[in-house]
Amino acid sequence: QVQLVESGGALVQPGGSLRLSCVVSRSIDSIWQMDWYRQAPGNQRELVASITVNEITTYTDSVKGRFTISRDASKRSIYLQMNSLKPEDTAVYYCNSAELLAIGGSWGQGTQVTVSS
């Protein structure tokens, strides 16, 4: 079973920065698109950022210009650099891919990001 392990979440003040990491238990060389999601209490999980195998990136409007997604296939990892954090960014962040889910992948534990003064 494919496993994903997220890390890097923390309590940070508004305006601060964090870098999230996600390690996948199998190669991501051929995975067309990897995604970062987040879920705040009482809300549905939302797609935050995506990156394709040729490094085309897309972002939800609320994080454009503040978040940057990247991938390193040699480390089976994707990353989310988050700058200028706002309280509304508070959520549990998850990484995944529709392709990995289709071949038996599951959701990891996620990593908690809390933005508060």
Side-chain angles (χ1 to χ4, degrees):
Q1 186 176 12
V2 179
Q3 294 182 327
L4 301 98
V5 179
E6 302 91 349
S7 63
L11 170 63
V12 62
Q13 292 187 344
S17 297
L18 285 174
R19 186 180 189 236
L20 306 184
S21 299
C22 168
V23 180
V24 185
S25 62
R26 55 148 281 170
S27 170
I28 63 171
D29 285 4
S30 61
I31 301 298
W32 174 253
Q33 180 173 306
M34 294 291 302
D35 308 307
W36 279 102
Y37 296 81
R38 66 186 179 187
Q39 187 168 19
N43 290 356
Q44 290 189 336
R45 190 172 291 162
E46 67 166 333
L47 179 61
V48 175
S50 301
I51 185 167
T52 66
V53 69
N54 54 1
E55 303 202 358
I56 294 173
T57 59
T58 56
Y59 301 91
T60 192
D61 285 347
S62 62
V63 308
K64 284 180 180 176
R66 300 188 298 122
F67 290 10
T68 303
I69 187 172
S70 59
R71 65 191 282 167
D72 185 342
S74 69
K75 297 180 179 179
R76 294 180 281 111
S77 295
I78 64 167
Y79 306 96
L80 188 67
Q81 177 67 42
M82 306 188 297
N83 299 327
S84 302
L85 283 161
K86 303 176 181 181
E88 51 263 44
D89 295 319
T90 295
V92 179
Y93 284 71
Y94 304 87
C95 63
N96 221 318
S97 160
E99 293 166 75
L100 291 176
L101 289 168
I103 60 171
S106 59
W107 293 92
Q109 294 294 312
T111 186
Q112 175 71 49
V113 172
T114 303
V115 185
S116 174
S117 54

